[in-house]
Amino acid sequence: MKKYLVQFKPFLIFVSIFFLTYIVLTLLYKFYLNSYEADDLDSITIVTGKNAELLLKLFNYDVIIQKSSQNPWQEIIMNGAYLARITEGCNAVSVMILFVSFVAAFSGKFKKTFLFIILGLISIYILNVIRIALLTVLLFYFPKQNAFLHGVLFPLIIYGYVFILWIFWINRFSKYAK
């Protein structure tokens, strides 16, 4: 048994750090969400929606993203018509938790790890705002493609980007990079 523990030690360390980081960050996020009333929306999601609205207005789209008066989401209104909604799951925090957990599990030097995490989180947030804005425009012009756009294409883009960040991290900065 000891032979196998020694043989698989790097893998066991990776899995332990990954799951510990993931569980701690997820619990912290759940505590954060629980600080809001059940019919209210958290501030991260509100800021994400407002940034998507600003981006769309930058490109001269007639769009309003506002808090629903009766539900815990933001309504996207484009050209005067209700188009979609932004819920807590749209803020990409769960993707960010996954990203941080993986990078922490393959950590390198503290300063590089910390900077990569911060820059990665910022870039994921920016990509997510762009994702919401693009999804809004595409849903306006192609409403019948909702399932494909929201369920396939845009998750592929954001998770694909995180995967590329992970590969870059492992090959350039992690303690396993050569």
Side-chain angles (χ1 to χ4, degrees):
M1 180 71 165
K2 184 177 179 181
K3 172 183 144 185
Y4 291 114
L5 287 176
V6 170
Q7 181 181 359
F8 294 112
K9 182 179 177 182
F11 173 74
L12 295 172
I13 290 171
F14 166 80
V15 169
S16 299
I17 294 171
F18 176 85
F19 281 114
L20 181 64
T21 305
Y22 186 81
I23 289 167
V24 167
L25 292 177
T26 300
L27 288 173
L28 288 172
Y29 183 55
K30 292 300 177 194
F31 285 130
Y32 164 77
L33 290 177
N34 289 338
S35 70
Y36 290 87
E37 298 294 324
D39 59 341
D40 205 4
L41 194 58
D42 67 285
S43 57
I44 297 171
T45 305
I46 290 170
V47 170
T48 302
K50 289 300 170 192
N51 287 332
E53 179 183 22
L54 289 172
L55 180 60
L56 286 164
K57 285 184 177 187
L58 183 69
F59 289 96
N60 295 320
Y61 283 98
D62 179 20
V63 65
I64 298 170
I65 298 180
Q66 64 188 13
K67 169 75 174 77
S68 170
S69 60
Q70 299 173 352
N71 300 298
W73 59 65
Q74 291 177 303
E75 298 170 337
I76 302 173
I77 300 166
M78 193 161 176
N79 293 340
Y82 174 83
L83 185 62
R85 64 180 176 234
I86 299 173
T87 64
E88 174 272 323
C90 300
N91 65 21
V93 171
S94 60
V95 175
M96 293 177 192
I97 290 171
L98 193 63
F99 167 75
V100 170
S101 300
F102 187 88
V103 172
F106 271 114
S107 64
K109 294 180 180 173
F110 177 78
K111 184 177 179 181
K112 285 183 180 181
T113 303
F114 181 75
L115 286 173
F116 190 80
I117 286 173
I118 296 300
L119 293 174
L121 290 174
I122 291 168
S123 69
I124 291 168
Y125 179 82
I126 291 169
L127 179 64
N128 189 53
V129 169
I130 294 168
R131 177 188 76 92
I132 292 169
L134 278 173
L135 186 57
T136 299
V137 172
L138 290 173
L139 285 176
F140 180 77
Y141 291 109
F142 307 102
K144 292 182 180 177
Q145 299 301 320
N146 182 16
F148 173 73
L149 293 170
H150 188 266
V152 177
L153 182 62
F154 284 97
L156 181 65
I157 290 169
I158 198 152
Y159 284 108
Y161 178 71
V162 170
F163 181 75
I164 289 167
L165 286 177
W166 287 342
I167 298 300
F168 184 73
W169 170 252
I170 291 169
N171 291 323
R172 299 279 291 192
F173 302 113
S174 78
K175 59 187 169 196
Y176 301 103
K178 293 189 176 156

